[in-house]
Amino acid sequence: MAMTSNKMVLNFVEDMKAMACPDSVIWIDGGEEQLDALRAEACTTGEILRLNDAQLPGCYYHRSAVDDVARVEDRTYICCKHKEDAGPTNNWMAPAEAYKMAGDIFKGAMSGRTMYVIPFSMGAIGSPFAKVGIEITDSIYVVLSMAIMTRVGADVLGMLGDSNDFVRGMHSKCQLDKEKRYILHFPEDNAIWSCNSGYGGNVLLGKKCFALRIASYQGRNENWMAEHMLILGIENPKGETKYVAAAFPSACGKTNLAMLIPPEGYRKQGYKVWTLGDDIAWIRMGEDGGLWAVNPEAGFFGVAPGTNRNSNPNALETTTSGTIFTNVVLKKDKTVWWEGMDKNPPEGALDWKGNPWDPASGETGANPNSRFTAPARNCPCIAPNWEDPVGVPLSAIIFGGRRARTAPLVYQSRDWQHGVFVGAIMASETTAAAAGAVGVVRRDPMAMLPFCGYNMGDYWQHWLNMGEKITKQPKIFNVNWFRLDEEGHFIWPGFGDNFRVLDWIIRRCDGAADAKETPIGFVPLPEDIDISGIDYMISPGRAFDGEALKDILSVDKSLWLEDVASIKEFFAGFGDKLPPEIAGELAELEKKLSV
Ligand code: GTP
Ligand code: SPV
Ligand code: MN
């Protein structure tokens, strides 16, 4: 039974039905009863498996196809009328061609299957900034995951009313044929078509497809910003909370930073970190002239490997109920395990492919991009105001990536324009979150390279324009937790100790900390970063100390000049879409490095 009389929604569903030819259509109402029935059905077919109810109540296990475990950037397209509007960093296809190609793939793809219609909201229902999508899918895993990651059901249609302002999302697993796998975005039509995948980032269309690729396009037209950013609050001993948003590329530490627990010394003084979001921020101008951020999601689709009681106890706690685990190790007692959880790989377990796993084999048990899908409300440090419809005011914006050598632990931009440049020159080593080689340095502006729904040159201009419009500009910083020593060990302890850097950032925002000016921006003096109580061995013979701190605060001009050469080459691809202000900042940087 259709749950709405909205003609646009009904027409969309009818069109997709006519194309995919499902045996039946089910509208997702958002109630537990329906979701429970779907869970039971998916357990019967083996699509998911119920985990140990005593230890992991309401949790399920899922495996994706072995060749379908990450986003496929080379098969992801922006389909707008003019190629130039997609820009040099996106794959482009003409809309008519894309609809035709995918239409042929979708033809009859759901015959013998049920088509689910998921009305979902990005943002709290009732928030003036929330946006609606309808996702059609033939996967119960997608329905259950969307019910965790977004707000789904009848209330969403109530909020939409008769409006045509919704994203039309069409997904089918089809045959999971990787040669016919496409993730197609039509920003000018508010539409997303995804076929032949069952992996989260390709199929949970509310996330990267809508909340970043389509929303970034909408934000440019409507004067707001959709960013690949976590949002956190830092409460000081006086009970005042300041908010920051941080953009790091995939698998570079957003979830971890969002949920961090400050070192003991800070905790004793009364410092606390509150989580508002771990992956996506929608940012608008507030009435006070500042920038305000909301998290449009309702759950976390987090990286499992490396999550443990020390690195991120809050994430671990978040996943103890109502969670779906994908591609992790399945233990005999129907609990889960992954590399980096503890030092006791389980015996008699099944690996992420479903085969008996021998920990001594040298193969990992969990896929490096294995993930958990967990409700945000489960998180012990979720901010009490995380669903506030107007969001939270940002004091600082932080960029960061994985750089073995070039970028120092932290530096601050001179002003907004220079800060936009700092975001635009971001680079990071690739990770398992996307298909392809891992560990290769690539330029990834604002951590948005795979997620910007239009020409990145226009995107930088939009950042500059937003800075002009606001009167209270957040301060802009860059961090790098990933500097390596000669032998490849992380020099900085990271995780909870990253709070020491957040502390400097907040003190800079308050005008309460000093800094040294360098060619790239303001770097802390070693004595400005509190390293008391750090207990970390960089390598067997070397403890982290003041010397190590000096090392990772250093700015090596020759390395930076190499980076300038790579930036020039990257920027050249944008032609006259490169804002002159950004070109000017690059010339300035080169000049400062050359003296
Ligand atoms: P996406 O969900 O893909 O967007 O990733 P993310 O940015 O949320 O990354 P996440 O926090 O899940 O971290 C990814 C990996 O980086 C995990 O294996 C972490 O253990 C590791 N990591 C996170 N923070 C740090 C840190 O401060 N230092 C080091 N060395 N590793 C870290
Ligand atoms: C990322 O890759 O940045 C993720 C996971 O957050 S996915 O939803 O697959 O994009
Ligand atoms: Mn992400």
Side-chain angles (χ1 to χ4, degrees):
M1 261 281 288
M3 297 189 306
T4 178
S5 57
N6 181 316
K7 290 247 163 34
M8 316 292 176
V9 174
L10 294 173
N11 289 345
F12 167 60
V13 173
E14 277 312 306
D15 289 350
M16 296 301 109
K17 191 176 153 199
M19 179 166 69
C21 306
D23 285 7
S24 57
V25 178
I26 292 180
W27 290 67
I28 300 304
D29 62 24
E32 268 311 302
E33 204 178 317
Q34 186 188 44
L35 291 174
D36 252 339
L38 290 173
R39 289 178 191 118
E41 186 184 335
C43 285
T44 314
T45 60
E47 189 177 352
I48 59 174
L49 183 151
R50 179 139 200 169
L51 289 169
N52 185 318
D53 211 44
Q55 294 183 54
L56 296 168
C59 291
Y60 293 82
Y61 180 90
H62 172 78
R63 283 188 194 99
S64 67
V66 293
D67 60 0
D68 187 23
V69 296
R71 285 180 293 98
V72 280
E73 296 181 1
D74 55 335
R75 310 193 70 94
T76 297
Y77 287 78
I78 300 299
C79 309
C80 47
K81 265 192 225 97
H82 305 292
K83 184 166 194 236
E84 196 191 23
D85 292 338
T89 56
N90 280 312
N91 298 309
W92 174 84
M93 213 185 287
E97 186 194 334
Y99 283 127
K100 168 80 177 68
M101 180 193 69
D104 287 345
I105 295 172
F106 279 133
K107 199 169 290 164
M110 293 187 188
S111 83
R113 300 181 188 175
T114 301
M115 178 171 121
Y116 302 96
V117 181
I118 316 169
F120 67 95
S121 172
M122 300 313 292
I125 292 180
S127 159
F129 304 130
K131 284 190 177 275
V132 171
I134 307 288
E135 175 164 358
I136 286 173
T137 182
D138 53 6
S139 157
I140 296 181
Y141 171 72
V142 168
V143 173
L144 299 175
S145 300
M146 285 294 285
I148 295 172
M149 295 305 297
T150 73
R151 288 94 176 165
V152 303
D155 298 354
V156 175
L157 291 169
M159 178 169 83
L160 182 66
D162 288 329
S163 167
N164 189 33
D165 186 7
F166 65 94
V167 167
R168 291 150 164 80
M170 172 63 178
H171 165 251
S172 171
K173 291 180 287 189
C174 303
Q175 309 308 315
L176 295 177
D177 177 352
K178 71 177 193 321
E179 301 304 326
K180 291 186 178 166
R181 187 169 295 153
Y182 291 99
I183 321 298
L184 307 171
H185 304 74
F186 304 87
E188 290 149 355
D189 302 344
N190 241 1
I192 305 160
W193 285 18
S194 163
C195 49
N196 279 299
S197 176
Y199 167 73
N202 298 328
V203 301
L204 307 179
L205 301 186
K207 198 174 181 53
K208 296 304 174 30
C209 300
F210 177 176
L212 289 180
R213 298 195 190 96
I214 299 289
S216 59
Y217 172 85
Q218 295 175 329
R220 181 190 175 214
N221 294 332
E222 299 165 8
N223 278 319
W224 55 281
M225 306 160 88
E227 300 297 336
H228 191 198
M229 292 179 178
L230 67 93
I231 311 166
L232 64 78
I234 299 163
E235 184 179 328
N236 71 15
K238 287 186 248 164
E240 301 157 343
T241 304
K242 292 243 160 74
Y243 299 93
V244 307
F248 310 153
S250 302
C252 289
K254 290 182 300 300
T255 302
N256 278 273
L257 190 69
M259 298 181 189
L260 85 63
I261 297 179
E264 198 185 346
Y266 282 100
R267 278 203 316 275
K268 281 196 176 138
Q269 291 174 57
Y271 284 97
K272 190 163 175 15
V273 167
W274 296 101
T275 308
L276 291 104
D278 82 326
D279 199 50
I280 296 174
W282 283 2
I283 303 176
R284 291 182 170 73
M285 285 182 282
E287 281 166 15
D288 64 347
L291 289 179
W292 290 64
V294 298
N295 169 16
E297 301 190 281
F300 306 125
F301 184 55
V303 177
T307 307
N308 64 50
R309 228 168 274 119
N310 298 320
S311 65
N312 195 346
N314 286 322
L316 215 52
E317 179 62 30
T318 305
T319 60
T320 51
S321 66
T323 295
I324 304 174
F325 296 91
T326 303
N327 294 341
V328 299
V329 174
L330 180 63
K331 289 167 62 171
K332 264 195 305 208
D333 64 356
K334 300 262 187 303
T335 61
V336 293
W337 191 87
W338 46 75
E339 278 66 28
M341 178 186 268
D342 55 41
K343 296 210 164 70
N344 311 307
E347 297 294 332
L350 298 181
D351 68 10
W352 67 274
K353 294 176 183 166
N355 301 320
W357 181 52
D358 174 7
S361 67
E363 300 273 314
T364 66
N367 183 278
N369 192 38
S370 54
R371 292 192 176 246
F372 53 78
T373 311
R377 71 179 117 75
N378 279 4
C379 182
C381 54
I382 194 79
N385 55 341
W386 79 281
E387 295 191 280
D388 192 329
V390 297
V392 294
L394 295 180
S395 297
I397 289 174
I398 306 174
F399 296 118
R402 278 179 194 264
R403 293 306 296 272
R405 298 189 314 143
T406 312
L409 178 64
V410 58
Y411 68 100
Q412 181 187 359
S413 70
R414 287 185 294 276
D415 52 32
W416 180 269
Q417 177 178 304
H418 179 232
V420 175
F421 173 74
V422 167
I425 65 167
M426 266 172 71
S428 192
E429 291 150 26
T430 51
T431 66
V438 168
V440 181
V441 174
R442 70 167 185 186
R443 307 235 75 91
D444 188 352
M446 282 82 170
M448 283 289 278
L449 182 76
F451 307 120
C452 185
Y454 60 103
N455 190 311
M456 202 132 216
D458 292 331
Y459 168 82
W460 293 325
Q461 188 60 56
H462 180 49
W463 266 82
L464 294 170
N465 296 348
M466 290 295 290
E468 290 278 302
K469 287 190 180 112
I470 54 180
T471 50
K472 271 194 194 166
Q473 296 164 338
K475 303 274 186 282
I476 299 180
F477 298 81
N478 191 87
V479 299
N480 177 23
W481 314 139
F482 300 96
R483 280 269 278 253
L484 301 179
D485 70 5
E486 299 299 322
E487 287 145 22
H489 305 106
F490 292 117
I491 300 175
W492 177 246
F495 301 100
D497 287 308
N498 293 335
F499 189 82
R500 301 168 189 277
V501 173
L502 292 179
D503 176 40
W504 181 75
I505 286 173
I506 292 298
R507 282 186 288 125
R508 286 294 291 173
C509 293
D510 291 344
D514 213 345
K516 181 174 98 182
E517 186 156 13
T518 76
I520 62 167
F522 296 106
V523 174
L525 305 168
E527 57 269 30
D528 289 328
I529 302 283
D530 177 3
I531 58 167
S532 59
I534 289 186
D535 179 16
Y536 173 71
M537 295 301 289
I538 299 168
S539 56
R542 186 181 178 204
F544 183 88
D545 58 11
E547 280 310 304
L549 178 65
K550 266 190 212 152
D551 189 3
I552 54 176
L553 288 176
S554 64
V555 175
D556 180 328
K557 285 190 189 176
S558 64
L559 284 178
W560 274 92
L561 280 167
E562 280 173 33
D563 227 37
V564 164
S566 138
I567 296 163
K568 271 189 190 162
E569 199 181 314
F570 179 62
F571 280 180
F574 293 90
D576 26 324
K577 287 283 189 185
L578 182 72
E581 293 89 340
I582 299 297
E585 290 288 348
L586 179 59
E588 184 74 18
L589 173 62
E590 189 172 20
K591 202 173 84 194
K592 288 193 154 104
L593 287 167
S594 306
V595 291

